[in-house]
Amino acid sequence: MTIIERIKKISNQKGLSLQKTAELAGIGINSIYRWDKNTPSTSSLQSVADVLGVTTSYLLGENSMPNPNKLDLKDALDDEIILAFDGHDIPNEDKAKIKEYIQLLDLKRRSEHE
């Protein structure tokens, strides 16, 4: 995946176009499109990463996690990752219950903000 593909992916997840992402990053609105042929400056890349809430390492393809300090529980609970709590593995049945509970909390939180 290229820098532009990564930026598109995260921008789309956040409901942003590439031009809006560039605008929020304080760079020219068509700058990101040129990054397929030209290497972005460190400061421009950092600005885009900041807007998207990811690391520059992710955008450069050096790291597969957009933000190593942020773990999406939905992804973790859906994947075949072995989760543990206090040193004990969490069985798949419990992972399903945890996911249901988190979905309920999320639904409650969203309804309170409407």
Side-chain angles (χ1 to χ4, degrees):
M1 193 180 298
T2 66
I3 291 173
I4 294 176
E5 290 170 335
R6 284 184 183 83
I7 294 171
K8 278 183 186 176
K9 177 183 172 186
I10 301 297
S11 293
N12 286 338
Q13 288 174 354
K14 294 185 174 287
L16 300 171
S17 67
L18 287 184
Q19 289 182 331
K20 185 64 175 176
T21 300
E23 180 185 332
L24 292 171
I27 60 175
I29 61 170
N30 292 312
S31 295
I32 296 171
Y33 293 105
R34 291 192 290 270
W35 293 355
D36 61 344
K37 294 186 171 118
N38 300 316
T39 304
S41 70
T42 304
S43 62
S44 294
L45 188 65
Q46 184 64 59
S47 294
V48 169
D50 291 344
V51 166
L52 298 177
V54 299
T55 63
T56 56
S57 294
Y58 171 76
L59 294 180
L60 292 170
E62 298 168 352
N63 184 334
S64 62
M65 292 195 58
N67 186 338
N69 296 323
K70 181 179 180 181
L71 174 66
D72 189 322
L73 283 176
K74 182 181 182 310
D75 293 339
L77 292 167
D78 286 343
D79 291 344
E80 293 300 316
I81 297 171
I82 297 172
L83 297 177
F85 182 80
D86 198 25
H88 302 283
D89 290 355
I90 299 174
N92 286 335
E93 304 82 44
D94 290 352
K95 284 172 59 174
K97 291 175 188 174
I98 292 167
K99 183 177 177 182
E100 287 175 16
Y101 182 68
I102 291 171
Q103 288 171 330
L104 178 66
L105 290 174
D106 186 52
L107 182 63
K108 181 180 175 191
R109 179 185 52 82
R110 289 175 192 232
S111 66
E112 289 172 354
H113 288 94
E114 290 180 354

